[in-house]
Amino acid sequence: MMPSNGTRSLLWGLSEVEEKMGWRQSLQGADVPMGRTIYLNEPLRNAFCENSISTAKYSMWSFLPRYLYLQFSKTANAFFLFITILQQIPDVSPTGKYTTLVPLLVILVISGIKEIVEDYKRHMADKLVNSKNTIVLRQNAWQMILWKEVNVGDIVKATNGQFLPADMVLISSSEPQATCFVATSNLDGETNLKIRQALSETATMKTEKQLSNLSGKIKCEEPNFHFNSFAGTLYLNEKSPISIGPDQVLLRGTQLKNTEWILGIVVYTGFETKFMQNAVKSPLKRSKVEKVTNMQILVLFLLLLVMSLVSCVGAIYWKDRYRAEPWYIGKSDYDYHSFGFDLLVFIILYHNLIPISLLVTLEIVKYIQALFINWDEDMHFKGSNVYAMARTSNLNEELGQVEYLFSDKTGTLTCNVMTFKKCSIAGITYGDLSSKSDDGAKGLSQSPCFISDAYEFNDPALLQNFENDHPTKEYIKEFLTLLCVCHTVVPEREGNNISYQASSPDEAALVKGAKKLGFVFTTRMPNSVTIEAMGEELTFEILNVLEFSSNRKRMSIIVRTPEGQLRLYCKGADSVIYERLSENSLFVEETLVHLENFAKEGLRTLCVAYIDLTEIEYEQWLVMYKKAITVVKDRMKTLEDCYDSIEKKFLLLGATAIEDRLQARVPETITSLLKANIKIWVLTGDKQETAINIAYSCKLLSGQMPRIQLNANSLEATQQVISQNCQDLGALLGKENDLALIIDGKTLKYALHVEVRKCFLNLALSCRTVLCCRLSPLQKAEIVDVVKKQVKAITLAIGDGANDVGMIQTAHVGVGISGNEGMLATNNSDYAIAQIFTSLPPFTLGIFERCCSQESLLRYPQLYRISQTGDIFNIKVLWIQCINAIVHSFILFWLPAKMLEHDMVLQSGYTTDYLFLGNFIYTYVVVTVCLKAGLETMSWNKFTHFAIWGSIMIWLGFFAVYSSLWPTVPVAPEMTGQGSMALVCPHFWLGFFIVPIVCLIQNVAWKSIRNTCHRTLLEEVREMESSGVQVLRRDSVQRSKVEEVNLQRSASPRPCQVIFRNNSVDLGAPHGYAFSQVERAVISQEELVRSYDTTKNKPQKTFSSATLE
């Protein structure tokens, strides 16, 4: 029975309330419109998608048709197939049947082998994921199976630290109140853990017998890509229907944390899971060079047709003129059938205008370049012995033309490891020594996220002040006590060691930092916490927890101290703490200066303060609090108002500074990329404050840079604020300025609307730095696609999580990082980081050519712009070279022809003929092509010398041998004796030197003039290398034209001197506030902390573990 429209509206309204209020209401008896039914413990009735996934391009059956389609979609291959077919027609081809067929087969075989090898690697990567182990309940017993064998309806058991194999509904867990913690950074980029809670009706189901007897069904919605929504109903036999929401759902790709074990019923598998639903269709990527080449091959084909038509007309004219000549010259009549026949003959004759040998060479070169990437020791991470892997070689040239780089934050720029780095207590800053010790710590490990004591808080002055009765001793004690008490962390003791489990990585870092300083959080009970302060055990009674929220930007806790004093501890953003400080609070200005310094370093800051309460104040507030928690309408707002009424007249203790540790050499890398004119956009699912802090750490943001922050709630508001900022920029719009644009996911949804998109893009392109926060995976892909299509620039996307797959696949070049967030990004990335005599020089050039040394390229990132701008290869360059080739062809033909215009008698009595002339010309072509390749070479090495001079020698040797084979070998009888005639002829050797020189003299002159009069930074650097100079002369750099351009572009963007007329622009100093914490979860923070008693052992597993571990 389908529900009525009124029921639907009611349910949608309820779901919105649940989402906004953060708590779940039971829909007892209410049926919900669902898309699928899952039967519990009835596997034969659950026929859904299998759980294996594939990121490969081909299967065993699809390889041949799909591969051939992809190959013949290339214009060149289609053309050569056409020529091959023509050559099979009897009496049409003036060449052999196999002259094009064999090279084409070589291309297809080489490309096919390359595709098979690359796709085999994808299959192996997929196999690693699909072959992971998990535990399911089957036939009334726990069994270990592979991920790919998991089915919808299975009851799965996962343990702490494991990634979940499918989307499942939580049944029960090892934790109090059937809760569990999951890390979702792989999906949404957020660093804090999420809380999920099982239904009370299933929370006690833990044994095999209970689970095997579970009978009923789950009705739920069809698979979709919304991470934060789920609508379902659990029907247990003889019980009322129970509503299931997103707080009961665990998603594939998330990692179980701080939870011993959980049990769940699988609802979606494989490509129907939510994070696979967020993946975009893997596109067929082609490089810009390939696209240009394909188009120009079409133009060359049209030119070939024109040449063939002109030749046909010439043939008609010739036959008409000489039709009265002897019979063996031609027919006396001519028909249109002969015209078509001649057209095909000339097309075959001229088809070498499109060089098939070059295509063979390029395929081999690209593949070997990919191998070089795989073997590169500079991209070898020795910590896990992982090398870079080129998962495709078709996009190698794109790596040199990137203009926009889109980067994830969590796991890509950062290690997702928080450490307590610095603090300010009573106006004194501590922790400066840690930054000085970083240099010494760099050599401790090759791991970019290696954490040692040198990376954590390291300043003995703090404890010295405490132990030596410094005037600030009591402030230090209260400061560290606050860090030990005001949080939601749970301690776990294993012998004498204490570890901390926390949903907030910031809180965990602060508690660990306090522990190192002698203030150890040891015990949490439902109504109290116990700490050891420098060996003294202190117990604080927990009265109330005033929860953190993004709106409040603070968290407070009301305790009764061991002395019986009522005290409120608070930590939060400086903006909210400072406005609530008492007039008697000290060290206000000093702490503010320290906060600004911390923020400029990219550290995550929090202010800490306290206030002592009287019994009367607390009792009055408690009455207000009890009333607020019973309010139905606007409960959260009422509670926040209640919290606010007691959070006042604080006494400031100081501030903390936490480092979200960056990957190795991230700031230096970003600086080099900016100098190379590569624009960097950070796309993250994490909070805006966190993204801003990381941008400061990475040097993407500077202290005085104006920050345009777009946070709007409607299309109209978004359009208005974007238009106003565009108007304020005026003539600077569209030019890169020293500005930062910061936008959240909700606003981006409106900014990419068709009416606003153009203005938003113009505004974004006017900023040096763009930060997009709280984005869904599809939004990441969408913004990459907008820049890719609208700006017409080469884009590169880099990430390490499942939420980055969309943008990795959408960008021209996708780079996946083998990080802490699984292998899905890596598996979907591109990088996880006939006429063959003259093919040797381009083959060698393609593999070994380089414009200058690696050291110079790293020292002068501006050199990247040479390839980025497309000046090396574009349509103009292609046709200049084509015109140059036409000039060469005239010289190569007419000089030898005129040289042999009058017949001569050779020493052996032979006279010259067309073969004799042809061998002259072909030899000069070989020499000219090799020398032209040498002229274009920038990096001369032993391979280059062998390729250029060796090609000439190989041809002369081949010519001599080939003309001597017949009749010993029945091959080429017409060539008999040609070598011995040509190689002893003085005319041959005279032309051997003169003809190539005449061809290339213009190229040498042009190159000399250009390098002398129009010197670029590249020429300056190359001259420096050749002369052995280590540092480029400053005046020399300033003279170069490219360097002048560099000074005008984004490496040093123009300071922004715009007067902004709206409040979306932050011109103040950075504050550094950032804090990750669960908000509005299924269970409140107070309920959570009161559910733990660490003096008791955790509930023992009630199911057999013999087959589990």
Side-chain angles (χ1 to χ4, degrees):
M1 177 178 177
M2 294 298 294
S4 66
N5 291 334
T7 305
R8 287 195 185 96
S9 301
L10 171 63
L11 294 173
W12 280 112
L14 285 170
S15 66
E16 290 180 0
V17 170
E18 289 172 11
E19 182 179 355
K20 292 179 180 178
M21 298 300 294
W23 42 268
R24 177 176 55 85
Q25 292 184 350
S26 175
L27 300 180
Q28 299 283 340
D31 205 355
V32 184
M34 301 301 171
R36 64 167 50 183
T37 301
I38 301 158
Y39 297 93
L40 308 183
N41 287 317
E42 296 184 63
L44 297 180
R45 300 182 67 179
N46 298 323
F48 297 101
C49 170
E50 61 182 15
N51 201 40
S52 64
I53 61 170
S54 174
T55 60
K57 291 169 63 176
Y58 309 104
S59 67
M60 184 179 296
W61 305 110
S62 69
F63 173 75
L64 190 59
R66 189 175 187 192
Y67 170 71
L68 291 178
Y69 170 77
L70 294 178
Q71 287 300 313
F72 290 116
S73 64
K74 298 178 181 179
T75 309
N77 288 348
F79 169 75
F80 291 123
L81 178 64
F82 170 67
I83 296 297
T84 299
I85 294 172
L86 291 183
Q87 288 178 336
Q88 310 311 307
I89 302 174
D91 301 326
V92 168
S93 176
T95 60
K97 291 185 176 181
Y98 308 107
T99 53
T100 304
L101 176 61
V102 172
L104 181 60
L105 289 176
V106 170
I107 289 177
L108 294 178
V109 170
I110 292 175
S111 299
I113 293 173
K114 179 170 68 71
E115 288 286 318
I116 290 172
V117 170
E118 291 172 353
D119 211 53
Y120 175 76
K121 294 177 182 178
R122 297 187 188 99
H123 278 285
M124 291 299 100
D126 292 336
K127 185 177 180 180
L128 286 176
V129 174
N130 293 327
S131 299
K132 288 182 179 180
N133 292 323
T134 192
I135 301 166
V136 300
L137 184 68
R138 290 184 179 174
Q139 298 176 349
N140 301 330
W142 296 105
Q143 298 181 13
M144 185 82 74
I145 65 170
L146 304 180
W147 274 27
K148 65 181 180 181
E149 298 171 339
V150 172
N151 298 320
V152 171
D154 279 341
I155 297 177
V156 173
K157 182 249 181 179
T159 55
N160 189 42
Q162 288 185 344
F163 285 92
L164 303 181
D167 291 354
M168 60 183 78
V169 172
L170 181 63
I171 300 177
S172 59
S173 80
S174 59
E175 302 306 298
Q177 299 194 30
T179 59
C180 70
F181 295 90
V182 287
T184 62
S185 58
N186 200 17
L187 302 184
D188 56 24
E190 293 192 19
T191 53
N192 58 282
L193 303 182
K194 305 295 193 305
I195 300 175
R196 299 292 182 259
Q197 184 179 36
L199 298 169
S200 59
E201 291 80 0
T202 64
T204 59
M205 298 181 180
K206 301 177 181 180
T207 67
E208 289 119 323
K209 183 177 180 181
Q210 286 176 312
L211 297 171
S212 299
N213 291 334
L214 193 60
S215 179
K217 61 186 178 182
I218 294 176
K219 286 187 175 182
C220 62
E221 60 191 0
E222 288 291 342
N224 59 71
F225 60 84
H226 299 295
F227 284 136
N228 298 318
S229 70
F230 180 85
T233 304
L234 173 64
Y235 298 88
L236 295 176
N237 289 351
E238 301 178 356
K239 291 186 178 181
S240 300
I242 309 154
S243 169
I244 304 174
D247 292 319
Q248 286 75 51
V249 176
L250 305 173
L251 303 181
R252 176 178 176 139
T254 58
Q255 186 180 21
L256 193 65
K257 290 280 192 178
N258 303 348
T259 307
E260 189 175 349
W261 54 263
I262 60 98
L263 302 174
I265 300 174
V266 176
V267 290
Y268 303 126
T269 52
F271 286 98
E272 293 182 342
T273 57
K274 287 187 180 289
F275 87 70
M276 291 305 296
Q277 288 283 305
N278 271 271
V280 298
K281 184 179 179 181
S282 183
L284 173 62
K285 293 186 178 181
R286 290 177 178 168
S287 70
K288 184 177 180 181
V289 170
E290 183 179 336
K291 293 175 182 176
V292 171
T293 304
N294 277 347
M295 181 57 65
Q296 299 314 304
I297 285 176
L298 285 175
V299 176
L300 287 174
F301 179 67
L302 294 176
L303 180 60
L304 185 150
L305 288 178
V306 171
M307 292 171 58
S308 300
L309 288 171
V310 171
S311 298
C312 286
V313 172
I316 294 174
Y317 171 78
W318 190 90
K319 289 183 180 182
D320 287 341
R321 181 175 179 181
Y322 297 104
R323 68 172 58 189
E325 295 295 324
W327 60 271
Y328 55 83
I329 292 181
K331 296 181 180 180
S332 59
D333 57 346
Y334 192 83
D335 55 32
Y336 289 104
H337 177 72
S338 297
F339 179 86
F341 184 87
D342 286 347
L343 180 63
L344 294 180
V345 170
F346 282 118
I347 289 175
I348 296 173
L349 195 61
Y350 297 153
H351 82 276
N352 285 336
L353 184 66
I354 301 173
I356 191 170
S357 63
L358 182 60
L359 299 179
V360 177
T361 303
L362 284 176
E363 288 292 334
I364 299 174
V365 165
K366 285 184 177 182
Y367 182 69
I368 295 178
Q369 286 176 340
L371 292 179
F372 282 175
I373 293 174
N374 297 346
W375 298 336
D376 193 341
E377 283 295 332
D378 288 339
M379 292 191 285
H380 175 206
F381 175 43
K382 295 181 175 62
S384 56
N385 195 30
V386 174
Y387 283 84
M389 181 174 68
R391 291 168 55 84
T392 179
S393 60
N394 296 328
L395 303 172
N396 292 350
E397 55 268 39
E398 300 287 75
L399 293 173
Q401 303 179 75
V402 174
E403 292 187 48
Y404 286 86
L405 187 151
F406 299 90
S407 175
D408 175 43
K409 179 191 71 70
T410 308
T412 303
L413 298 178
T414 70
C415 299
N416 199 16
V417 175
M418 308 291 183
T419 54
F420 180 42
K421 196 73 173 177
K422 296 183 179 183
C423 65
S424 172
I425 306 175
I428 302 175
T429 181
Y430 300 97
D432 287 334
L433 293 181
S434 60
S435 60
K436 297 176 184 177
S437 64
D438 276 352
D439 293 336
K442 287 179 181 176
L444 294 177
S445 175
Q446 295 228 353
S447 171
C449 295
F450 179 80
I451 299 300
S452 69
D453 289 344
Y455 285 131
E456 297 181 351
F457 185 91
N458 184 20
D459 192 346
L462 190 151
L463 290 181
Q464 289 172 2
N465 286 347
F466 182 82
E467 294 169 354
N468 296 335
D469 292 329
H470 190 273
T472 61
K473 176 181 178 179
E474 291 303 317
Y475 284 95
I476 295 174
K477 179 180 179 181
E478 206 63 41
F479 179 93
L480 295 175
T481 300
L482 184 150
L483 298 187
C484 286
V485 174
C486 184
H487 55 73
T488 59
V489 178
V490 177
E492 288 191 354
R493 188 181 293 273
E494 297 178 4
N496 293 326
N497 296 324
I498 297 179
S499 60
Y500 297 112
Q501 309 293 353
S503 61
S504 167
D506 296 89
E507 287 192 332
L510 293 176
V511 173
K512 290 176 184 177
K515 177 185 176 184
K516 184 179 178 182
L517 294 170
F519 283 68
V520 185
F521 172 46
T522 59
T523 306
R524 179 177 290 283
M525 299 179 67
N527 298 307
S528 67
V529 294
T530 301
I531 68 172
E532 289 184 6
M534 305 301 288
E536 180 185 2
E537 188 173 281
L538 302 173
T539 299
F540 292 80
E541 182 184 357
I542 304 297
L543 299 177
N544 301 95
V545 177
L546 282 55
E547 297 195 17
F548 169 86
S549 71
S550 295
N551 183 47
R552 281 170 39 77
K553 295 184 179 180
R554 63 191 183 275
M555 174 212 176
S556 299
I557 189 166
I558 301 176
V559 300
R560 190 178 296 278
T561 68
E563 296 79 17
Q565 173 66 50
L566 286 172
R567 183 165 295 164
L568 185 150
Y569 288 125
C570 182
K571 64 174 185 284
D574 57 317
S575 58
V576 297
I577 298 295
Y578 265 62
E579 66 185 14
R580 289 168 173 78
L581 289 179
S582 167
E583 295 180 356
N584 300 322
S585 188
L586 304 177
F587 323 113
V588 174
E589 295 300 325
E590 297 93 327
T591 304
L592 190 60
V593 172
H594 296 159
L595 282 167
E596 292 180 0
N597 292 334
F598 295 158
K600 289 176 182 178
E601 297 178 35
L603 300 177
R604 302 159 66 98
T605 63
L606 289 173
C607 278
V608 296
Y610 78 100
I611 180 66
D612 286 332
L613 305 174
T614 65
E615 295 289 344
I616 296 176
E617 287 176 330
Y618 177 68
E619 291 298 331
Q620 291 175 345
W621 177 85
L622 194 60
V623 172
M624 186 189 306
Y625 172 73
K626 291 179 179 179
K627 181 178 179 180
I629 60 175
T630 61
V631 171
V632 176
K633 184 178 181 181
D634 295 329
R635 177 181 296 177
M636 290 305 300
K637 185 179 183 306
T638 305
L639 274 174
E640 290 183 0
D641 291 341
C642 177
Y643 296 159
D644 189 62
S645 67
I646 199 170
E647 293 173 322
K648 56 186 179 180
K649 298 183 179 180
F650 286 148
L651 297 175
L652 184 65
L653 291 172
T656 63
I658 295 173
E659 179 184 40
D660 188 353
R661 183 142 194 88
L662 297 176
Q663 297 281 356
R665 298 185 63 82
V666 163
E668 297 88 341
T669 302
I670 286 179
T671 300
S672 296
L673 292 172
L674 292 173
K675 288 181 180 178
N677 196 36
I678 296 176
K679 289 83 172 174
I680 301 175
W681 293 24
V682 176
L683 312 182
T684 178
D686 211 346
K687 295 180 180 179
Q688 184 167 308
E689 297 89 352
T690 304
I692 293 174
N693 276 346
I694 293 302
Y696 278 108
S697 298
C698 297
K699 310 305 180 187
L700 275 172
L701 292 179
S702 59
Q704 303 304 319
M705 182 185 291
R707 302 175 296 279
I708 302 174
Q709 300 189 20
L710 302 182
N711 304 104
N713 296 316
S714 67
L715 176 61
E716 293 75 16
T718 303
Q719 188 171 15
Q720 181 179 357
V721 70
I722 290 176
S723 299
Q724 183 61 58
N725 281 294
C726 289
Q727 291 175 12
D728 292 344
L729 283 171
L732 297 178
L733 186 65
K735 302 174 183 178
E736 189 172 337
N737 302 277
D738 196 25
L739 283 171
L741 176 65
I742 304 164
I743 185 171
D744 62 15
K746 180 184 287 187
T747 310
L748 184 66
K749 178 180 67 175
Y750 302 122
L752 293 180
H753 192 274
V754 64
E755 298 177 11
V756 190
R757 180 181 300 172
K758 186 176 180 180
C759 286
F760 168 70
L761 198 56
N762 287 336
L763 180 61
L765 297 179
S766 304
C767 300
R768 179 174 181 256
T769 298
V770 178
L771 304 180
C772 301
C773 318
R774 305 306 294 259
L775 300 189
S776 69
L778 286 180
Q779 282 182 309
K780 288 187 175 185
E782 187 177 8
I783 197 166
V784 173
D785 189 58
V786 167
V787 175
K788 177 181 173 181
K789 292 180 178 178
Q790 301 295 326
V791 185
K792 308 292 185 184
I794 301 297
T795 58
L796 182 148
I798 180 170
D800 72 324
N803 60 326
D804 304 318
V805 170
M807 72 174 185
I808 286 174
Q809 292 180 328
T810 302
H812 290 95
V813 181
V815 178
I817 297 177
S818 304
N820 297 323
E821 298 186 19
M823 296 293 292
L824 194 68
T826 303
N827 294 353
N828 285 274
S829 64
D830 305 307
Y831 297 89
I833 234 157
Q835 288 76 31
I836 63 172
F837 297 117
T838 59
S839 66
L840 196 54
F843 178 81
T844 308
L845 285 176
I847 297 174
F848 299 107
E849 175 72 325
R850 63 179 188 178
C851 61
C852 56
S853 68
Q854 174 181 319
E855 291 76 16
S856 294
L857 288 171
L858 293 175
R859 187 179 296 128
Y860 306 106
Q862 296 90 339
L863 292 170
Y864 182 81
R865 302 185 187 189
I866 300 171
S867 61
Q868 184 188 58
T869 55
D871 292 339
I872 296 176
F873 178 80
N874 52 44
I875 296 176
K876 179 182 176 181
V877 170
L878 175 65
W879 284 101
I880 287 176
Q881 293 297 333
C882 287
I883 294 171
N884 190 34
I886 293 173
V887 174
H888 287 176
S889 65
F890 274 101
I891 297 172
L892 287 166
F893 177 78
W894 288 109
L895 276 183
K898 288 298 181 181
M899 187 167 58
L900 299 178
E901 184 175 11
H902 303 287
D903 288 342
M904 66 177 69
V905 179
L906 303 177
Q907 292 178 356
S908 56
Y910 290 103
T911 59
T912 59
D913 59 3
Y914 77 97
L915 283 176
F916 191 74
L917 174 62
N919 288 321
F920 271 44
I921 294 173
Y922 196 83
T923 301
Y924 302 159
V925 168
V926 171
V927 176
T928 303
V929 169
C930 290
L931 294 179
K932 180 65 164 63
L935 192 62
E936 299 297 328
T937 298
M938 293 185 179
S939 176
W940 282 88
N941 51 56
K942 58 185 178 181
F943 302 104
T944 310
H945 282 286
F946 172 77
I948 291 175
W949 311 118
S951 292
I952 297 174
M953 301 306 297
I954 288 172
W955 162 248
L956 292 175
F958 175 81
F959 178 39
V961 173
Y962 189 68
S963 61
S964 305
L965 292 177
W966 194 85
T968 305
V969 179
V971 173
E974 70 280 359
M975 286 291 292
T976 302
Q978 289 289 325
S980 59
M981 288 189 294
L983 295 176
V984 298
C985 177
H987 293 74
F988 174 84
W989 293 107
L990 180 64
F992 188 89
F993 292 101
I994 292 178
V995 174
I997 291 174
V998 173
C999 283
L1000 298 176
I1001 189 69
Q1002 56 172 330
N1003 300 101
V1004 174
W1006 166 250
K1007 191 166 186 177
S1008 300
I1009 294 171
R1010 185 189 63 187
N1011 291 350
T1012 303
C1013 302
H1014 299 279
R1015 296 173 66 81
T1016 65
L1017 180 61
L1018 177 59
E1019 274 77 48
E1020 299 285 354
V1021 173
R1022 286 172 54 78
E1023 181 181 343
M1024 172 196 71
E1025 291 183 343
S1026 63
S1027 61
V1029 179
Q1030 295 300 316
V1031 180
L1032 198 60
R1033 299 189 307 273
R1034 185 177 183 86
D1035 58 342
S1036 177
V1037 176
Q1038 290 176 342
R1039 285 200 311 269
S1040 68
K1041 186 175 180 178
V1042 169
E1043 186 64 15
E1044 291 175 7
V1045 175
N1046 292 344
L1047 294 174
Q1048 298 172 4
R1049 299 183 70 174
S1050 64
S1052 300
R1054 58 178 57 83
C1056 187
Q1057 299 178 346
V1058 180
I1059 299 176
F1060 290 95
R1061 298 177 177 84
N1062 62 88
N1063 56 10
S1064 68
V1065 181
D1066 187 355
L1067 300 174
H1071 298 288
Y1073 161 71
F1075 186 69
S1076 297
Q1077 178 61 284
V1078 176
E1079 298 181 52
R1080 299 180 181 180
V1082 62
I1083 180 174
S1084 70
Q1085 293 169 20
E1086 181 161 9
E1087 288 178 303
L1088 181 67
V1089 297
R1090 293 192 186 281
S1091 65
Y1092 282 91
D1093 187 346
T1094 58
T1095 61
K1096 299 179 181 178
N1097 293 327
K1098 276 193 172 184
Q1100 297 296 315
K1101 297 178 185 176
T1102 54
F1103 43 76
S1104 172
S1105 61
T1107 60
L1108 302 186
E1109 306 300 338

